[in-house]
Structure formats: structure tokens, C-alpha cells
Amino acid sequence: MSRRLILLLLMLIAAAPIEAGELRGTGDLGVVVERAKGSLQVIETSGNSVLGRIDGLGDLSHASVVFSRDERYAYVFGRDGGLTKVDVLEHRVVARVIQSGNSIGGAISQDGRLIAVSNYEPGGVRIFDAETLDPVADIPAVYGANLQSKVVGLVDAPGNRFIFSLWDAGEIWSVEMSDPENPVITKYRDVGKNPYDALITPDGRYYIAGLYGEDGLALLDLWYPERGVKRILNDYGKGEQKLPVYKMPHLEGWAKAGRHLFIPAVGQHQVLVVDTDNWQETGRLDVHGQPVFVMARPDGRQIWVNFAFPYNDTIQVIDTRDLKLVETLKPGKGVLHMEFEPRGGEVWVSVRDIDRLQVYDTSDFKMLADQPAEKPSGIFLSARAHRTGL
Amino acid sequence: MKRTALIVLSLISSAQIALASDISSVRKSELLNLLKHDCGSCHGLSLKGGLGPALTPDVLRQKPIEYITATILYGRSGTPMPPWRPFMSEGEANWLAQRIKEGVQ
């Protein structure tokens, strides 16, 4: 090697640290969907700041995100069928495919190797290699006389499975992906009319689908899948006049405190309280409007609720010790999503109509940060990488 | 039911005469924001459909303005489509129906 070349190499090495930037972890990072602009903001929760933006992600209305298990990559599920893998450290798109005409969300498998996307058009689930986004499996949601159903409530489950619900068909399907070449599908029929969304408990045991078309919820115990789907809260809402629903509620995560599960009522200004020991309704909390998200602070001590149009300027906080309302916040019109930091001290809030991203202290409800964002919707922190169903 | 729909339609057609010029530009942008984001939560941000059907000019070609206006105002029973009458006048719904039918950017 010539002396000149060595000199050149030394100069390059000396310059490298400046160009590569400082090393940093990803545990305090997250992304915020800017739905109208088709971009993500990359945020960090240690100083509550915005680090950058990733553009070119298509139609992000109702977009959601899951993280790779190393918390470096985020997979973005767009409404236009776009599936995009982004690098949250380098703020760039790594891979992108348009995998359907109209999609609604996705999940990452337990082993981190597969990404599943649920589609409205064509109705079904498609599964991709998490590394390359190459197609792995296509599962059309076919039912009845060759009809195809929109798919909602797709989650990952233990045993490298994906579970999802068929809106038009009223079915729940479980797909076991241990051998990606040969997905094993189990179908549960007649679970109820129009399941609109679903959740799985963090222990991966219970899959619960909310029903729009009738009262109650559909429950699948994944420890005993052979027992089938049973209906819970059958009596909820019987004989009561339902209000028009201006936004479908979400079932995400697991708003649980002790043995109580908190879920949004459909068409009522109420949060339902369910005893998870016997799956009976134990109470209803009157709230400001029809709930959209009902989220538990990670320690289970508080429940935070946001609301459907036209009450979407408000957040209410319930103390789970006595089920009393402790705070009503008015962040502004269009509160779409709330995301707790993993240990629960702070919560991020997106306020769509006033284009703001706010951070609140959950102990005294003081606003800690208030930053611009373009029509922000979902907020996703990297700690989701390690949680089943998120 | 049919008769009610007919009455509703004729009421709307008589009400819509006092129209678009009465809607301020601020209100128009409010309505378009509502269309994009609140209607969009079921029909998609670009109205290409979600849990609710697509509302593109192509899909709506056969539907009269009055039909679309009535659907906005009174919803569709038996479906999740709610009535938006509490939040807008008949004239405003008619203006919105025209925007949807011609395609909104």
C-alpha cells in the first residue's frame, strides 16, 4: 500500500465521526403520523423534541406503525395500501411496497421476521418478509358464496400467529406462521355482526373484537382455542337508543387496572368497566362524549379517554382507585391519539385541527411541550417493539 | 319510507335555492376540513373508501345531488352512516354534495 493511500485513508477515518454523527440508542424515539402530508415526524422523549421528518409515505389517513425488535425500523401501514419500512435513526425510507388498494393496519410477528397487513380492498391479509418486504403469503378473506370481506383488528399472537376479524363476514381467523410457506388458518364463524376492531391482552391470551352491528364483544381465549369464540357483555345496550356514531371507537392496547378492563361503549357517552375474572360488566362511567381511545397509563392507575366528533377537543382522566373523574383537559379541536411514555410519567397527544403535538405530565396534567405538526394523528413510541399486540 | 325520502328530497330542492353564495369562505373551508378528516375517518382521507364506501365521482355518477345531500343530512339507517344535520344546514349539505360529486382535491 502506498504511503499516499495510507495518508488518504487516515484523513478519511479522521473525518468519519463528524459525518456519521454521534452514536445513540433508539429506546426514547418514536414517530408521529402527519396524515395529510404523508410524512412521519421522528421524536425523542428524553427532551421532548422533534428530531426530523420522513416524507413520501403516501396516504396516511388512519395509518399505524409497528417497530422491529431492535427498535431501529418502523413499519408504516398507509391507507393507500402502502407498506413502508423506515429507519428511525437515519430518517429515511429503507423499503416500500404498494401491497393493496386500501389497507387498515398491520402487525409484526413474535419472531420479528414477518409483517402482516390487513386490507379492505382486496379484503384479506398479506404477509411480508420484515427484512426485505418481499411477499411471503396471501390470505384472501373469502366467505360465503365467494365474497371477500374487509379485514380489521389484526394483531400478533404468541406461537408466531396473526389473529384478525372479518368486518363483512362476522368471523375471526387465526393464522399460524411457523412455516411461512404453509400458513395454518383456523376460522371462527358467526362471532357477531360487523366486528370493527379488536385487541389482544399483553400476555397474548385473550383476543377481543368489538361488534358494531350488535351488542356485546367477541372473546377468543388463545390458551383454549378449541373452546371457540364466546360472546361477552351480551346485555350491554339492550333496549337503549344508540346515538349516531361519528367515529368508530378503537380497541388498542389493554386499558386494565387490577381485574378491571375499560372499553369504549359504541353509540353511548360511556366507558364500560368489565371484570376480567368472569367477563361481566361491573359498571359504566359517564364521560364527555362517545369514547374513541380508552387508554390505561402503564401503571394502571389512570384511564385517559378521548372522544369522537363533535366532542373531540377534550380528554378526560379517570382515577381507577374509585372510578372518579379527576381531570378534563381541552387540548384543542381534533384530539386524535394519546401515547404514554413506557413508564407512564408523560403522555404525548396529537391535536389534528390545530396542528399541534403536545406532551403532558400525567401527575399534575401540566403541559410540558407544545410543538407544531401537520395534521398529526397516531403517535408510536419505539417501546411498542416489545409488546404483544402493538 | 319511500314517501319520507321523497318529501325529504323535495324539501331539500326547495331549500337549496338560497345556496352557495350564502356560505362564507371560512365556513366552506370548515366544511371541506370536516369532509376530509371526519367523513374521511370512514370513507378515507381522499374519499377512496375505508369501512365506509368510496365517494369518488366515478362511484357517485349515478347518484343525484339530492340523494347525496339527503344521505349527508339524515344518514342511512341500517348502516353506520350517521346524520350530519346537527352540524350543517341543508344548503351547506347540498354544497358539500356538489363538491363530492365533482371530486374534491
Side-chain angles (χ1 to χ4, degrees), chain A residues 180-206:
Chain A
E181 304 286 308
N182 298 294
V184 180
I185 305 173
T186 308
K187 301 176 184 178
Y188 301 90
R189 298 209 160 89
D190 302 317
V191 303
K193 197 176 167 204
N194 291 141
Y196 63 86
D197 198 8
L199 60 79
I200 188 168
T201 54
D203 57 10
R205 177 166 179 180
Y206 297 106

Short mmCIF file of all heavy atoms in Angstrom, two decimals, chain A residues 180-206:
data_model
loop_
_atom_site.label_atom_id
_atom_site.label_comp_id
_atom_site.label_asym_id
_atom_site.label_seq_id
_atom_site.Cartn_x
_atom_site.Cartn_y
_atom_site.Cartn_z
N PRO A 180 -43.63 -20.43 7.12
CA PRO A 180 -44.17 -19.35 6.30
C PRO A 180 -44.72 -19.81 4.95
O PRO A 180 -45.60 -19.18 4.38
CB PRO A 180 -42.98 -18.41 6.11
CG PRO A 180 -42.08 -18.70 7.25
CD PRO A 180 -42.24 -20.16 7.54
N GLU A 181 -44.20 -20.94 4.47
CA GLU A 181 -44.67 -21.46 3.19
C GLU A 181 -46.08 -22.04 3.31
O GLU A 181 -46.82 -22.12 2.35
CB GLU A 181 -43.74 -22.58 2.68
CG GLU A 181 -42.28 -22.15 2.54
CD GLU A 181 -42.08 -21.24 1.35
OE1 GLU A 181 -42.49 -21.61 0.24
OE2 GLU A 181 -41.52 -20.13 1.54
N ASN A 182 -46.40 -22.49 4.51
CA ASN A 182 -47.68 -23.17 4.73
C ASN A 182 -48.44 -22.60 5.92
O ASN A 182 -48.45 -23.19 7.00
CB ASN A 182 -47.44 -24.69 4.96
CG ASN A 182 -46.82 -25.33 3.73
OD1 ASN A 182 -47.43 -25.40 2.68
ND2 ASN A 182 -45.58 -25.76 3.88
N PRO A 183 -49.09 -21.45 5.73
CA PRO A 183 -49.87 -20.86 6.82
C PRO A 183 -51.00 -21.82 7.22
O PRO A 183 -51.63 -22.41 6.36
CB PRO A 183 -50.46 -19.60 6.19
CG PRO A 183 -49.66 -19.35 4.95
CD PRO A 183 -49.16 -20.67 4.49
N VAL A 184 -51.21 -21.96 8.53
CA VAL A 184 -52.30 -22.81 9.02
C VAL A 184 -53.41 -21.90 9.53
O VAL A 184 -53.24 -21.18 10.51
CB VAL A 184 -51.81 -23.74 10.15
CG1 VAL A 184 -52.96 -24.62 10.63
CG2 VAL A 184 -50.64 -24.59 9.66
N ILE A 185 -54.55 -21.93 8.83
CA ILE A 185 -55.64 -21.00 9.15
C ILE A 185 -56.73 -21.70 9.94
O ILE A 185 -57.19 -22.78 9.57
CB ILE A 185 -56.26 -20.42 7.85
CG1 ILE A 185 -55.17 -19.78 6.99
CG2 ILE A 185 -57.35 -19.41 8.18
CD1 ILE A 185 -55.64 -19.32 5.63
N THR A 186 -57.14 -21.10 11.06
CA THR A 186 -58.30 -21.57 11.82
C THR A 186 -59.36 -20.48 11.75
O THR A 186 -59.08 -19.32 12.04
CB THR A 186 -57.92 -21.82 13.29
OG1 THR A 186 -56.78 -22.67 13.32
CG2 THR A 186 -59.07 -22.49 14.04
N LYS A 187 -60.58 -20.86 11.36
CA LYS A 187 -61.65 -19.87 11.21
C LYS A 187 -62.72 -20.06 12.29
O LYS A 187 -63.16 -21.17 12.53
CB LYS A 187 -62.31 -20.00 9.82
CG LYS A 187 -61.33 -19.81 8.68
CD LYS A 187 -61.99 -20.05 7.33
CE LYS A 187 -60.95 -19.95 6.22
NZ LYS A 187 -61.52 -20.22 4.88
N TYR A 188 -63.12 -18.96 12.90
CA TYR A 188 -64.22 -18.98 13.87
C TYR A 188 -65.38 -18.21 13.24
O TYR A 188 -65.26 -17.01 13.00
CB TYR A 188 -63.79 -18.34 15.19
CG TYR A 188 -62.61 -19.05 15.81
CD1 TYR A 188 -61.30 -18.66 15.51
CD2 TYR A 188 -62.80 -20.13 16.66
CE1 TYR A 188 -60.22 -19.33 16.05
CE2 TYR A 188 -61.71 -20.80 17.22
CZ TYR A 188 -60.43 -20.40 16.91
OH TYR A 188 -59.35 -21.06 17.45
N ARG A 189 -66.47 -18.93 12.97
CA ARG A 189 -67.57 -18.30 12.23
C ARG A 189 -68.64 -17.78 13.19
O ARG A 189 -68.70 -18.16 14.35
CB ARG A 189 -68.17 -19.32 11.26
CG ARG A 189 -67.17 -19.79 10.21
CD ARG A 189 -67.84 -20.19 8.90
NE ARG A 189 -66.90 -20.19 7.80
CZ ARG A 189 -66.15 -21.24 7.44
NH1 ARG A 189 -66.23 -22.37 8.11
NH2 ARG A 189 -65.32 -21.15 6.42
N ASP A 190 -69.49 -16.90 12.66
CA ASP A 190 -70.64 -16.36 13.42
C ASP A 190 -70.24 -15.79 14.78
O ASP A 190 -70.86 -16.09 15.80
CB ASP A 190 -71.71 -17.45 13.62
CG ASP A 190 -72.20 -18.00 12.29
OD1 ASP A 190 -72.42 -17.18 11.38
OD2 ASP A 190 -72.33 -19.23 12.16
N VAL A 191 -69.20 -14.97 14.79
CA VAL A 191 -68.78 -14.38 16.07
C VAL A 191 -69.61 -13.16 16.43
O VAL A 191 -69.58 -12.67 17.56
CB VAL A 191 -67.28 -14.01 16.05
CG1 VAL A 191 -66.44 -15.22 15.71
CG2 VAL A 191 -67.00 -12.85 15.10
N GLY A 192 -70.38 -12.63 15.49
CA GLY A 192 -71.20 -11.44 15.71
C GLY A 192 -71.12 -10.54 14.49
O GLY A 192 -70.23 -10.66 13.66
N LYS A 193 -72.08 -9.60 14.42
CA LYS A 193 -72.20 -8.78 13.22
C LYS A 193 -71.23 -7.58 13.23
O LYS A 193 -71.17 -6.84 14.20
CB LYS A 193 -73.65 -8.27 13.13
CG LYS A 193 -74.01 -7.76 11.76
CD LYS A 193 -75.47 -7.35 11.69
CE LYS A 193 -75.71 -6.56 10.40
NZ LYS A 193 -76.87 -5.70 10.51
N ASN A 194 -70.49 -7.42 12.14
CA ASN A 194 -69.59 -6.28 11.94
C ASN A 194 -68.59 -6.03 13.07
O ASN A 194 -68.64 -5.00 13.74
CB ASN A 194 -70.39 -4.99 11.70
CG ASN A 194 -71.11 -4.98 10.37
OD1 ASN A 194 -72.23 -4.50 10.28
ND2 ASN A 194 -70.49 -5.50 9.32
N PRO A 195 -67.65 -6.97 13.28
CA PRO A 195 -66.55 -6.63 14.19
C PRO A 195 -65.78 -5.44 13.59
O PRO A 195 -65.46 -5.46 12.41
CB PRO A 195 -65.68 -7.90 14.20
CG PRO A 195 -66.10 -8.69 13.00
CD PRO A 195 -67.50 -8.29 12.67
N TYR A 196 -65.55 -4.38 14.41
CA TYR A 196 -64.96 -3.15 13.86
C TYR A 196 -63.51 -2.96 14.26
O TYR A 196 -62.78 -2.21 13.63
CB TYR A 196 -65.78 -1.92 14.26
CG TYR A 196 -65.81 -1.68 15.75
CD1 TYR A 196 -64.80 -0.95 16.38
CD2 TYR A 196 -66.84 -2.18 16.52
CE1 TYR A 196 -64.82 -0.74 17.74
CE2 TYR A 196 -66.86 -1.99 17.89
CZ TYR A 196 -65.86 -1.26 18.50
OH TYR A 196 -65.86 -1.07 19.86
N ASP A 197 -63.08 -3.61 15.32
CA ASP A 197 -61.69 -3.50 15.75
C ASP A 197 -61.49 -4.55 16.83
O ASP A 197 -62.47 -5.16 17.30
CB ASP A 197 -61.37 -2.10 16.29
CG ASP A 197 -59.87 -1.81 16.34
OD1 ASP A 197 -59.09 -2.63 15.81
OD2 ASP A 197 -59.48 -0.77 16.90
N ALA A 198 -60.26 -4.78 17.22
CA ALA A 198 -60.00 -5.81 18.23
C ALA A 198 -58.74 -5.48 19.00
O ALA A 198 -57.96 -4.62 18.59
CB ALA A 198 -59.86 -7.18 17.55
N LEU A 199 -58.54 -6.17 20.11
CA LEU A 199 -57.31 -6.03 20.87
C LEU A 199 -56.88 -7.40 21.37
O LEU A 199 -57.67 -8.35 21.39
CB LEU A 199 -57.49 -5.07 22.06
CG LEU A 199 -58.52 -5.39 23.14
CD1 LEU A 199 -58.02 -6.44 24.13
CD2 LEU A 199 -58.86 -4.12 23.90
N ILE A 200 -55.61 -7.50 21.73
CA ILE A 200 -55.13 -8.71 22.38
C ILE A 200 -54.48 -8.28 23.69
O ILE A 200 -53.87 -7.22 23.77
CB ILE A 200 -54.14 -9.49 21.48
CG1 ILE A 200 -53.81 -10.85 22.10
CG2 ILE A 200 -52.89 -8.68 21.18
CD1 ILE A 200 -53.09 -11.80 21.14
N THR A 201 -54.64 -9.10 24.74
CA THR A 201 -54.06 -8.73 26.03
C THR A 201 -52.54 -8.86 25.95
O THR A 201 -52.03 -9.65 25.16
CB THR A 201 -54.61 -9.64 27.14
OG1 THR A 201 -54.39 -11.00 26.74
CG2 THR A 201 -56.09 -9.41 27.31
N PRO A 202 -51.81 -8.08 26.76
CA PRO A 202 -50.34 -8.10 26.64
C PRO A 202 -49.74 -9.46 26.93
O PRO A 202 -48.64 -9.76 26.46
CB PRO A 202 -49.88 -7.07 27.68
CG PRO A 202 -51.08 -6.48 28.29
CD PRO A 202 -52.30 -7.12 27.75
N ASP A 203 -50.46 -10.31 27.66
CA ASP A 203 -49.94 -11.66 27.89
C ASP A 203 -50.24 -12.57 26.69
O ASP A 203 -49.85 -13.73 26.67
CB ASP A 203 -50.53 -12.26 29.17
CG ASP A 203 -52.06 -12.30 29.15
OD1 ASP A 203 -52.66 -12.05 28.09
OD2 ASP A 203 -52.66 -12.59 30.21
N GLY A 204 -50.93 -12.02 25.70
CA GLY A 204 -51.20 -12.77 24.48
C GLY A 204 -52.30 -13.81 24.64
O GLY A 204 -52.47 -14.67 23.78
N ARG A 205 -53.07 -13.72 25.72
CA ARG A 205 -54.04 -14.78 25.96
C ARG A 205 -55.41 -14.52 25.33
O ARG A 205 -55.99 -15.43 24.74
CB ARG A 205 -54.21 -15.00 27.47
CG ARG A 205 -55.27 -16.04 27.74
CD ARG A 205 -55.27 -16.55 29.15
NE ARG A 205 -56.36 -17.53 29.31
CZ ARG A 205 -56.64 -18.17 30.41
NH1 ARG A 205 -55.91 -17.96 31.49
NH2 ARG A 205 -57.63 -19.03 30.47
N TYR A 206 -55.94 -13.31 25.51
CA TYR A 206 -57.30 -13.05 25.05
C TYR A 206 -57.32 -12.12 23.83
O TYR A 206 -56.67 -11.08 23.83
CB TYR A 206 -58.14 -12.40 26.15
CG TYR A 206 -58.33 -13.27 27.35
CD1 TYR A 206 -57.63 -13.00 28.53
CD2 TYR A 206 -59.18 -14.37 27.32
CE1 TYR A 206 -57.80 -13.80 29.65
CE2 TYR A 206 -59.35 -15.18 28.43
CZ TYR A 206 -58.65 -14.88 29.60
OH TYR A 206 -58.80 -15.68 30.69
#
